[in-house]
Each structure stands twice: as C-alpha cells, then as structure tokens.
Amino acid sequence: MERRVHVAVVGYGYWGSKHVRVLSTMPDVAVTVVDADERRMAEAVAYYPSIDTATTSLEDVLDRVDAVLVATPPGSHYEVAVQALRAGKHVLVEKPLATSVRDAEALVAEAAGNGVGLTVGHTFEYNPAVRQLRDIIRSGQLGRVLYVDSARLSLGLYQRDVNVVWDLAPHDISIVSFLLDELPVSTSVWARRDIGRWREDVAYLRLDFPSTHAFVHVSWLNPDKVRRTTVVGERRMAVYDDMSDKERIRIYDIGVDPGDIDNPHMAHEMPVSYRTGDIISPIVPFREPLMVQDREFVDSILSGVRSATPGERGLDIVRVLAATDVALATGRTAPVVTGSLLTPSMRASS
C-alpha cells in the first residue's frame, strides 16, 4: 500500500486554512488541524470532514504525525517549529521562517542535527509565472537587468507581531532574488505608521544586489490589491502581474537608447532615442503555487530529496529582513550579513 504522510497544520487562520484545503486533496496525506481556538477547529471539521484529527495542542498529536506545517503568527514560528524539529518531525514554516536571525539559524541547525527536512513557505518561488520570468531573464531576451520594481499592496491584513515589511516583503525579496539568482548585499528603507502607533503599515525598500538594484513597495493601506513585479532590461522589459487572469507575464519590446547630439539647437535635450515594438504575452500554464509547494514538501518526506526552498533559503531572507530593521532604525543603508550569495538549492537549480 502507498504510504500516507500524516501532517499536522498548526494554525487554522488565513494561510493555515489554505494549506488544509490543499493537503486535503492529496490521497496520500492525512491532515490534522491544531488551533487553540475551538471555533476555528469546528470550522475546519465542518469544511473538511476528511480531517483525521482536530485538537487544541500540538503535543496531543506530535507522536502520531510525520510532519508539522506551521501557519501561526510569525512571532510564534520559532517556538512551534523547534518543538516539532526536536521531536524528529519534518517541518514547513510559513514566511518568514522566524522573526530574528538567531532563531532562524537555530531552526536550520535543529533540522540538520535531527536529520529532518525544514522547508520555508516562499510560495511564489513555486509560481509557474515567476519561474517562467526567471527563464526569460536567463535567456537574455531582456538584456542586462537595469532594475526591478515590485509592489505588494492591499487594504489589510494588519498583523500584531510584525510590521508590513516582515509581513509582505518576504514574498518580494524572495521573488527578486529568485529571478536574479542573487541575494541583496545591502538595503535602505523608508516606512511609516499611519494607523496606530505600533507597526509600520507602508514601506519602500531599496535592495542593492551585486548585479543591479530592486525597489519594493509594500502596504496594508491601499485601495487596490496589487501583486506586480517589473523587470527593466536594456533590450526589453517584462511585467509579472499576479492579479491578471490571462496575461500574467507581458514582455514589452520598448526601451531607450543613448545617442549623440548632432543638431546644436537640440543641445538642451537629453541625447536619447526611444524605440517601441510588440507586446508579447506568453502562455503560462496555471498550477496553484501553494499546491505545488505543499506537494513538493510531502514528496520530500517520502523521497528524502531536499525541497526547493529549504531552511537555509528562509534564513537568507530573514537576514535581509533583519537588515531592513537596522536601516529603518538608523535611517542609513544597512549591509545584509550573510555567509554566501546563493543558497544550496539556488546553486543546484542554476
């Protein structure tokens, strides 16, 4: 008989409920829901009768599961994940992996020491459109990347334990570094608290990569939901719009070329020429990124093959986020302290 993987999803909130939905469709997975709120547990059982168990404590089921998926608020990621890792369970942690570099490093060390897999939920790295955009960049179609601009905006959801940078920017930082096969070496931040005095709810980040720069705008206070990444190249430009149903990627054959001033009467104008061409929207076969990610997590348990977003990848992004805290506190550019520019998984995929 095919082996069934027993997965405990800890936290039945916004992301936890999505993971339960996805995992419940997999015939080789048995799902357990863990949430301290009994109303949420009742909701999970009502929506998904196939759930194996529902409980308020992870300890109640830890000895009966193979893996733990942590979808609790970020401030509790470390405590839940380290409990599972020390029990010898494979773990997937929603982004960010932890809320400090020290805790993220400890989780990576615990996973290695206990011989179990640690995966971070950088869902957009499993998005077919993002993967296709990386292929387009690698092919040279866009030419040298001049800069990348990314925006992740919406009205809510305000978080209690992290600011908007730690809540939303992990997606954009992972997307851009995935596209470029690099990690930023430094960052600068502008952020503001508009509602309440507790957490910044709008921010602009500049990320300095070895080869180029990226700019990230994140906000909990915006009338429109925006999920867009623009890659500006010397030859062409490309836009990935996750909110588009049919044209998630558009490649623009447009640009600006430097030129010489031949007419002395035109000396006051910039010596550039503009070029325009076709707009191409390649077909991107849709597969739900969360489904791809969670399926790979389960497969990694069954096969022992390392996932595409291991704990080290999550640690890399936490190091960037920690640098944004320093930049925000000092008002200066802050270096990203990291041991290498590429994680093992990124090297393997290059």
Side-chain angles (χ1 to χ4, degrees):
M1 292 181 62
E2 186 177 18
R3 177 190 168 191
R4 295 193 80 195
V5 177
H6 291 250
V7 180
V9 178
V10 184
Y12 188 78
Y14 180 80
W15 278 108
S17 62
K18 294 178 183 293
H19 284 289
V20 171
R21 171 182 59 79
V22 165
L23 292 170
S24 295
T25 67
M26 301 180 188
D28 57 346
V29 175
V31 181
T32 291
V33 175
V34 180
D35 197 299
D37 189 330
E38 293 187 358
R39 291 175 300 178
R40 286 185 173 181
M41 279 203 308
E43 178 185 326
V45 172
Y47 274 89
Y48 304 101
S50 62
I51 287 175
D52 189 63
T53 309
T55 180
T56 58
S57 173
L58 179 59
E59 292 181 357
D60 293 344
V61 295
L62 198 51
D63 62 341
R64 304 201 302 269
V65 301
D66 302 299
V68 173
L69 195 154
V70 183
T72 58
S76 61
H77 283 183
Y78 171 78
E79 292 180 2
V80 179
V82 77
Q83 178 186 4
L85 292 170
R86 287 173 178 170
K89 308 302 176 182
H90 301 279
V91 174
L92 188 157
V93 185
E94 262 301 336
K95 57 80 190 169
L97 178 62
T99 53
S100 73
V101 173
R102 183 175 181 177
D103 285 351
E105 288 176 338
L107 291 179
V108 172
E110 285 287 350
N114 289 283
V116 292
L118 175 62
T119 298
V120 64
H122 290 167
T123 312
F124 284 89
E125 294 187 32
Y126 296 87
N127 189 307
V130 173
R131 290 182 171 183
Q132 186 162 334
L133 179 55
R134 184 178 67 165
D135 291 342
I136 291 169
I137 294 171
R138 287 179 169 183
S139 73
Q141 292 183 51
L142 307 184
R144 182 171 63 91
V145 175
L146 302 179
Y147 72 90
V148 181
D149 184 90
S150 195
R152 190 165 301 272
L153 320 172
S154 62
L155 190 62
L157 299 164
Y158 275 73
Q159 303 295 318
R160 292 184 177 182
D161 54 353
V162 293
N163 64 15
V164 70
V165 176
W166 281 81
D167 179 42
L168 298 182
H171 285 312
D172 300 277
I173 297 170
S174 71
I175 288 172
V176 178
S177 65
F178 179 79
L179 294 175
L180 299 175
D181 282 334
E182 298 176 339
L183 284 168
V185 295
S186 62
T187 182
S188 52
V189 180
W190 178 93
R192 177 185 173 93
R193 302 173 186 176
D194 292 288
I195 305 298
R197 300 181 179 179
W198 303 278
R199 305 289 178 189
E200 290 80 11
D201 51 20
V202 59
Y204 293 84
L205 285 63
R206 169 176 161 156
L207 303 171
D208 302 313
F209 288 83
S211 64
T212 189
H213 304 282
F215 305 90
V216 175
H217 179 198
V218 289
S219 176
W220 287 328
L221 196 60
N222 195 79
D224 299 318
K225 186 173 183 178
V226 178
R227 302 286 185 269
R228 183 180 60 244
T229 299
T230 302
V231 182
V232 177
E234 275 189 319
R235 296 178 57 196
R236 294 181 179 88
M237 305 179 189
V239 175
Y240 154 59
D241 186 354
D242 196 59
M243 301 307 297
S244 174
D245 291 331
K246 296 182 179 179
E247 297 184 335
R248 298 210 167 196
I249 295 178
R250 303 187 83 186
I251 303 171
Y252 295 80
D253 187 12
I254 60 176
V256 180
D257 296 319
D260 298 322
I261 300 176
D262 297 325
N263 186 343
H265 298 292
M266 305 288 288
H268 64 284
E269 296 184 4
M270 286 292 293
V272 298
S273 61
Y274 301 91
R275 50 186 166 79
T276 59
D278 294 333
I279 300 174
I280 301 172
S281 181
I283 296 175
V284 181
F286 180 75
R287 293 184 65 197
E288 184 181 2
L290 195 67
M291 177 70 76
V292 178
Q293 172 192 279
D294 288 4
R295 181 67 255 176
E296 183 169 306
F297 174 59
V298 172
D299 288 343
S300 72
I301 296 170
L302 293 170
S303 67
V305 175
R306 187 181 177 90
S307 75
T309 55
E312 290 84 352
R313 176 66 171 150
L315 171 58
D316 283 341
I317 303 305
V318 168
R319 284 172 171 159
V320 179
L321 294 167
T324 69
D325 283 345
V326 175
L328 184 58
T330 63
R332 299 178 180 179
T333 299
V336 176
V337 180
T338 181
S340 64
L341 291 177
L342 295 178
T343 62
S345 65
M346 293 177 73
R347 291 195 187 97
S349 63
S350 298

